[in-house]
Amino acid sequence: MTVVVAGPSKASSDIARGIAEAMGSRMVTVESKRFPDGESYVRIPEDLGGEDVIVVHTMASPQDRSVMELAMLVDAARGLGASRVIAVAPYTAYSRQDTRFLPGEPVSIAVVLKLLYASGSTGFATVEIHKEHSLRYYPGKAVNVRPYTFMARSIGLGGDLLVLAPDQGAIPRAEGLARSIDAEYDYLVKHRDRVTGEVVIEPKNIDVDGREVLIVDDIISTGGTIAKAAKSLLSMGAKRVNVMVAHLLGIPGSIERIASSGVERIYAAYTLPRVDDPRVSYIDVSSLIAGEVSRGFKL
Ligand code: R5P
């Protein structure tokens, strides 16, 4: 019997509950507090001897604390005698620093994944990591859950939609979704200046005139990428632009920036704390995570 341990945040505990329900498993809530100097304390108040354990904790802001809490919970589960411990991070922080863009930089995602392995996890799962090949930095088995088709089916999207990747890196996301809902897909070309950080969308000859467009991306951070893409699509005659992402960070001003570019709706998987905004629709992907984790780790 698998036990699901919920990390110490509302989002983590909501997602963990969904996973536990979908798997028909017991869920354990952890004790947590902060020491006067700011360090985190966590404790799993139940026996886990001989169990397969899934520890669910999303790496929301403050990310460093969330990463540390997840690693400590993995260690705590091993200390309680769990036989296998799978760390499930619905959102994996630091995944965009997946290479040394400039000399002297760390590969931050490698640091995070190696920490989780060194803490005693025997497997790792996440929802739509920025680049799937980053999972090679995790020395054990790792599962990347792609949420877009599940999300599109939950909302009932399909048909005449043009699915659009905001850059070439996102083409597999757009292509995979488009194929599964029998829609067309295309992409825009994005260039990011590594030093200034400025994002430039170069005009492409995409016939979006009169089309309903769904931009698919892994993450909304500042909202700059989506806002620029949407503006350019609407200026090319798109009838409507909506957005689907795996992770909505909820950085202040990001939704406003996207809405003022003309986007009507943002569909976000529930992987991070909810932003209370009528323009955002969250989709519960916990049952999808449960299925992929069960299959991937033969639970
Ligand atoms: C970039 O490669 C990512 O896939 C996202 O497009 C990007 O990180 C989103 O960031 P922002 O919302 O700040 O433009």
Side-chain angles (χ1 to χ4, degrees), residues 176-194:
L177 170 58
R179 286 192 194 289
S180 68
I181 59 171
D182 202 19
E184 284 185 290
Y185 72 95
D186 208 333
Y187 69 98
L188 293 172
V189 176
K190 180 176 78 171
H191 167 70
R192 186 188 290 273
D193 186 314
R194 284 280 162 219

Side-chain angles (χ1 to χ4, degrees), residues 39-296:
E39 290 179 358
S40 300
Y41 169 91
V42 288
R43 175 170 178 261
I44 304 171
E46 292 195 27
D47 180 27
L48 297 177
E51 308 274 18
D52 281 338
V53 174
I54 298 175
V55 180
V56 181
H57 195 32
T58 196
M59 296 182 190
S61 174
Q63 293 88 338
D64 300 356
R65 179 179 301 152
S66 305
V67 169
M68 197 58 199
E69 286 167 345
L70 179 55
M72 291 193 296
L73 286 170
V74 166
D75 179 79
R78 290 311 289 249
L80 287 166
S83 60
R84 287 196 291 170
V85 179
I86 295 146
V88 175
Y91 168 67
T92 301
Y94 291 103
S95 60
R96 285 171 293 170
Q97 184 70 26
D98 56 8
T99 190
R100 299 183 208 278
F101 297 105
L102 296 173
E105 290 181 347
V107 182
S108 308
I109 184 60
V111 175
V112 170
L113 295 177
K114 286 190 266 188
L115 170 67
L116 292 175
Y117 188 74
S119 303
S121 64
T122 54
F124 175 74
T126 189
V127 177
E128 192 60 336
I129 195 158
H130 179 58
K131 296 255 175 62
E132 194 157 341
H133 67 72
S134 299
L135 292 176
R136 73 182 187 279
Y137 293 120
Y138 184 79
K141 182 174 171 62
V143 167
N144 185 39
V145 179
R146 290 219 143 161
Y148 311 110
T149 298
F150 178 91
M151 293 169 76
R153 289 194 178 134
S154 316
I155 312 161
L157 297 180
D160 260 2
L161 212 54
L162 173 62
V163 179
L164 204 105
D167 56 38
Q168 295 187 45
I171 291 174
R173 296 184 178 114
E175 183 179 0
L177 170 58
R179 286 192 194 289
S180 68
I181 59 171
D182 202 19
E184 284 185 290
Y185 72 95
D186 208 333
Y187 69 98
L188 293 172
V189 176
K190 180 176 78 171
H191 167 70
R192 186 188 290 273
D193 186 314
R194 284 280 162 219
V195 178
T196 66
E198 198 197 347
V199 176
V200 182
I201 305 279
E202 304 190 72
K204 262 280 181 193
N205 189 22
I206 300 168
D207 189 10
V208 294
D209 195 23
R211 298 294 302 271
E212 178 147 345
V213 180
L214 181 74
I215 302 176
V216 179
D217 209 357
D218 58 331
I219 187 167
I220 291 174
S221 177
T222 64
T225 302
I226 299 289
K228 286 195 179 194
K231 266 190 206 148
S232 122
L233 291 165
L234 288 163
S235 74
M236 288 186 258
K239 182 170 79 180
R240 180 173 299 120
V241 178
N242 290 323
V243 176
M244 178 181 281
V245 288
H247 312 292
L248 177 60
L249 290 185
I251 290 177
S254 57
I255 293 168
E256 202 45 60
R257 184 171 295 116
I258 289 173
S260 56
S261 75
V263 168
E264 292 184 19
R265 180 140 302 277
I266 299 171
Y267 298 105
Y270 183 28
T271 61
L272 282 164
R274 286 175 189 266
V275 177
D276 188 16
D277 189 298
R279 294 162 292 197
V280 179
S281 298
Y282 281 97
I283 293 146
D284 177 2
V285 293
S286 55
S287 64
L288 176 71
I289 299 173
E292 300 277 313
V293 168
S294 299
R295 247 189 312 283

